Amino acid sequence: MPSNVTAIMPGTFDPVTVGHLDIIARGACKFGRVVVGLVEAPVRKAPLFGPDEREEFLREALAKHPNVEVDRFNELVVAFARRWDAHVILKGLRAISDFEYEFAMAQLNRKLAPEIETVFMMASPEHSFLSSSGVKEIAAFGGPVDDLVPPAVARRLRELYPPRV
Ligand code: ADP
C-alpha cells in the first residue's frame, strides 16, 4: 500500500527507457508519491535531447500513474528533494559497475542531508544491461530500439536515425 512518503527519482533521462519506467512504476507502488527529477543541464555530458523533449517523453510515458510527478531541476539533488519535502532518493541499480558511483553519491548526499535516505531498487533482470547511452548507440547505427524505450521515443529516434536493419 502506498505510504505518505515522497521519493524523488533523479536522472538525465536522455532518453527515458523501459528500465527507468520499471523502477518508477515499482517505486510508485511502494511510496505515496514519486517525483521524477529531470536534470535540466547535465554537467557530465551534453544530452542528445533538450530538456523540453526529455520532459515530454517522461510525461507521456508516466501519465497513467496518478502518484507520479515530473519536474526539472538545476540544483543539488538534496536541494531538489527538500523542495518536494521528499525524504527518499530512489535509484535503480543495474550491474556492479553502477555500484561504485552510486555508493559514493549516496554517501555524499547523506553527508549533505542526513535526513534523506537513498533507496536502491535492483533493476529487473531483463533491464539489467539497458542504458540510455546503449539505446542511443543502437539507434545511431539504425538498429531497432522499440522494446527498449516508450513508443514516442522510438519514433523520434527513427526520425533522427533512419532504420538500417
Ligand atoms: P544519470 O543521469 O545518473 O546517468 P540516468 O538518467 O541514466 O541517470 O538514470 C537515472 C536512474 O535510473 C539511475 O538511478 C540509474 O541507475 C537508473 N537506471 C538507468 N537505467 C536503468 C535500468 N535499465 N534499470 C534500472 N534502473 C536504471
Side-chain angles (χ1 to χ4, degrees), residues 9-15 17-20 22-23 26 39 42 44 90-94 98 101-102 120-124 127-133:
M9 163 90 180
T12 311
F13 305 104
D14 182 45
T17 69
V18 294
H20 296 126
D22 179 57
I23 298 289
R26 285 161 55 198
V39 178
R44 279 186 293 158
L90 173 63
K91 306 237 65 186
L93 206 55
R94 290 163 295 187
D98 274 348
Y101 174 77
E102 294 294 353
F120 292 98
M121 280 189 180
M122 292 297 166
S124 296
H127 303 140
S128 283
F129 296 98
L130 175 56
S131 64
S132 298
S133 51

